[in-house]
Amino acid sequence: MFKFAVFGNPINHSKSPLIHHEFAKQTGIKHNYGCICVPINEFKKSISKFFSQGGLGANVTLPFKQEAYQFADELSERAYFAGAVNTLKKQNDNKIFGDNTDGIGLISDLQRLNMIKAGDRVLVIGAGGAARGIILPLLLSGAILTVTNRTNSRAQELVYNFKYNGVINSCSISELNGKYFDLIINATSSSSNKQMPIIPSSILNNKPRCYDIFYQKELTTFLYWCQKQGCNYLSDGLGMLIYQAAHAFQLWHGVMPNITNIFKKLQ
């Protein structure tokens, strides 16, 4: 029986067990971690059984992050605003604490890469669950956010939800022409399908830093397009993946692992 595990469907592709095995080896902390593929519509049953049988912590990936949000007894501020949970922890009183480490994972990686600083004009492409998870940490870092989405009303909804947490506005895709940003983040799933978000190339005229939260061995479709437009400061989301795992590990054990070696291994 695993004490820690990642829950999802599909899950066989997950790098989480490898990452957490490396964290355990590095820190010397006993960290029995595995994968659990959950049948659709059985997340609550599966996660309840896991914790009742001695589970201490869980990562949650697609498509169960919203269900994990509902399952948690208590939520961190960032999980509450994201409306999704990717990390669960059984507390001493047996209540389940829910957190979302995706956004802080992104910020940690952007800082590692020197891709963000306070006051940067940041464009977030997309208004789905991935975007929700990163907006609060971006605002808390001092970024000035613009959210754009194929359906503008969804971007406007995010602005309404986060307007008291920092400077954030929305912009329809048709209004992007002539606007300039220091950092552009692709928070859509387009690259996973070898597709491109429909955005004008003019937003790359000032050669901004470009980040895709999706990751793969070669350049993602989005990053390849940015490179073709002359942008050279590029990164995919591999570092974000490792950092969100590191922040989960820290929540469970109180120790923040070093990601350098695991990053080189996964690259």
Side-chain angles (χ1 to χ4, degrees):
M1 181 67 194
F2 298 119
K3 296 293 185 183
F4 300 89
V6 57
F7 288 69
N9 187 339
I11 200 64
N12 289 339
H13 68 286
S14 176
K15 291 182 171 57
S16 291
L18 170 62
I19 293 170
H20 282 277
H21 175 74
E22 290 296 319
F23 289 164
K25 192 162 65 173
Q26 176 198 128
T27 61
I29 293 172
K30 191 174 181 181
H31 186 63
N32 183 16
Y33 190 103
C35 274
I36 297 177
C37 185
V38 182
I40 302 300
N41 300 323
E42 290 191 18
F43 175 77
K44 186 175 181 181
K45 176 182 175 182
S46 181
I47 196 75
S48 297
K49 181 180 178 182
F50 171 76
F51 282 117
S52 69
Q53 293 184 347
L56 299 176
N59 289 131
V60 182
T61 189
L62 297 176
F64 301 117
K65 291 184 181 183
Q66 282 72 37
E67 289 186 65
Y69 176 90
Q70 297 296 332
F71 177 78
D73 298 309
E74 299 172 1
L75 296 166
S76 67
E77 181 184 42
R78 57 198 182 200
Y80 173 79
F81 276 101
V85 159
N86 78 335
T87 305
L88 295 166
K89 177 184 179 180
K90 189 174 186 177
Q91 302 182 118
N92 292 334
D93 59 3
N94 289 326
K95 288 188 176 180
I96 305 300
F97 179 76
D99 196 6
N100 189 313
T101 64
D102 287 331
I104 192 64
L106 170 66
I107 295 297
S108 295
D109 197 38
L110 291 173
Q111 290 172 341
R112 175 183 70 90
L113 297 163
N114 294 316
M115 289 184 79
I116 194 167
K117 60 183 184 298
D120 273 354
R121 299 160 298 169
V122 179
L123 175 67
V124 175
I125 306 168
R132 283 191 73 101
I134 66 176
I135 284 178
L136 181 63
L138 282 169
L139 289 172
L140 294 178
S141 78
I144 298 167
L145 287 195
T146 298
V147 182
T148 192
N149 191 61
R150 188 170 49 189
T151 306
N152 194 40
S153 60
R154 294 191 67 188
Q156 292 172 334
E157 180 185 339
L158 288 186
V159 171
Y160 179 79
N161 290 342
F162 289 95
K163 62 184 178 181
Y164 298 114
N165 300 106
V167 182
I168 181 171
N169 58 77
S170 65
C171 180
S172 68
I173 289 172
S174 62
E175 295 172 327
L176 283 173
N177 257 317
K179 295 191 182 297
Y180 296 96
F181 302 94
D182 301 298
L183 171 63
I184 298 176
I185 300 172
N186 179 25
T188 73
S189 60
S190 59
S191 287
S192 65
N193 303 313
K194 307 289 185 185
Q195 296 176 342
M196 262 294 298
I198 303 169
I199 50 174
S201 59
S202 62
I203 62 171
L204 301 180
N205 286 349
N206 67 318
K207 306 299 181 282
R209 306 178 290 274
C210 303
Y211 193 99
D212 195 334
I213 66 169
F214 181 73
Y215 63 91
Q216 61 185 38
K217 193 169 184 180
E218 63 277 359
L219 281 179
T220 68
T221 307
F222 170 72
L223 294 178
Y224 179 74
W225 177 75
C226 293
Q227 187 182 67
K228 293 283 280 185
Q229 309 299 320
C231 298
N232 294 311
Y233 211 155
L234 315 170
S235 180
D236 67 13
L238 179 61
M240 175 181 171
L241 170 76
I242 300 169
Y243 269 119
Q244 64 80 25
H247 283 282
F249 189 92
Q250 183 182 41
L251 175 68
W252 295 327
H253 300 295
V255 175
M256 184 68 175
N258 187 303
I259 78 146
T260 306
N261 289 339
I262 181 66
F263 186 79
K264 289 177 181 175
K265 184 171 288 192
L266 287 181
Q267 271 184 316

